[in-house]
Amino acid sequence: MTGAPVSTVVLVEGVSDQLAVETLAARLGRNLTGDGIAVVAMGGATNVKRHLDFFGPPGLDVRLAGLVDEGELRVFAGALERTGLGDELSPADMERLGFFVCVRDLEDELIRALGPRAVEQILHGEGDLHAFRTFQKQPEQRDRSDQARLRRFMGTRGGRKHRYATVLVNALELDAVPLPLDRLLAFI
């Protein structure tokens, strides 16, 4: 099935964010492609200006939206400003433009929404609990919270963040979707 011409582009930092958005949209019965919505993984926040220039007013001038990690807020706000989409943008201004801020990152939002115990049960079901227990014992992990250890564990092996983006989103109760993700899908 082919989709409508792209009228909205959702910019996300990486493939795991893209998979999470697309998975949740599908769970909600949304056909993003059919609605002319493309979710684009930028390969990191530092690439946002290039993507805004291509998809935004200087380029294709399609409707834009996205997810922003809290630590990259200034990078995104500056790029939006340089593209002509606002001045001195606050997080609230960015939300009005369709860019929603994740505390730390989307993985952290998903882990918080599910709770550490539920995520550990998911790790068990995926065959990764033993590896996580070994990871927890590392000296640099001992003083971290379960939430922080789980978040860090997701990024310790290639492909793990991608795999768990889908698994964690599929485990969510639909009334417990992290706010940035929920607001993004409502916006688009």
Side-chain angles (χ1 to χ4, degrees):
M1 170 163 58
T2 60
V6 174
S7 60
T8 300
V9 171
V10 177
L11 299 175
V12 295
E13 289 188 34
V15 173
S16 62
D17 301 326
Q18 177 184 13
L19 292 169
V21 170
E22 292 171 345
T23 300
L24 183 59
R27 283 194 64 204
L28 295 170
R30 302 267 315 262
N31 176 355
L32 296 181
T33 302
D35 291 341
I37 300 168
V39 183
V40 176
M42 300 182 298
T46 57
N47 294 318
V48 67
K49 177 69 167 92
R50 182 170 57 90
H51 284 81
L52 290 172
D53 285 344
F54 184 79
F55 293 113
L60 298 176
D61 200 19
V62 297
R63 182 174 182 235
L64 297 169
L67 290 174
V68 181
D69 292 351
E70 186 176 59
E72 304 298 343
L73 192 55
R74 287 198 332 228
V75 171
F76 266 78
L80 288 164
E81 291 166 8
R82 288 189 305 280
T83 306
L85 295 171
D87 292 309
E88 299 181 29
L89 295 171
S90 69
D93 295 329
M94 290 181 62
E95 283 197 9
R96 281 190 288 282
L97 292 172
F99 289 85
F100 301 89
V101 180
C102 296
V103 174
R104 299 198 51 101
D105 56 24
L106 187 54
E107 290 80 15
D108 191 59
E109 293 277 358
L110 292 169
I111 293 165
R112 188 171 34 278
L114 289 162
R117 296 299 154 242
V119 175
E120 286 184 13
Q121 290 174 342
I122 291 166
L123 292 176
H124 176 71
E126 294 291 313
D128 275 337
L129 188 58
H130 178 72
F132 177 65
R133 294 289 184 235
T134 300
F135 175 78
Q136 281 180 304
K137 294 175 186 172
Q138 293 177 357
E140 59 272 10
Q141 300 305 320
R142 290 188 188 142
D143 292 334
R144 291 184 174 181
S145 68
D146 289 341
Q147 168 94 15
R149 284 191 291 252
L150 285 163
R151 179 180 166 270
R152 179 67 187 104
F153 178 74
M154 295 295 168
T156 59
R157 197 174 104 221
R160 186 176 279 149
K161 278 177 76 168
H162 302 164
R163 186 173 106 216
Y164 279 103
T166 301
V167 172
L168 295 178
V169 167
N170 279 326
L172 280 174
E173 295 293 330
L174 292 179
D175 62 353
V177 172
L179 200 53
L181 195 51
D182 188 50
R183 287 181 175 168
L184 171 69
L185 286 171
F187 183 85
I188 60 171

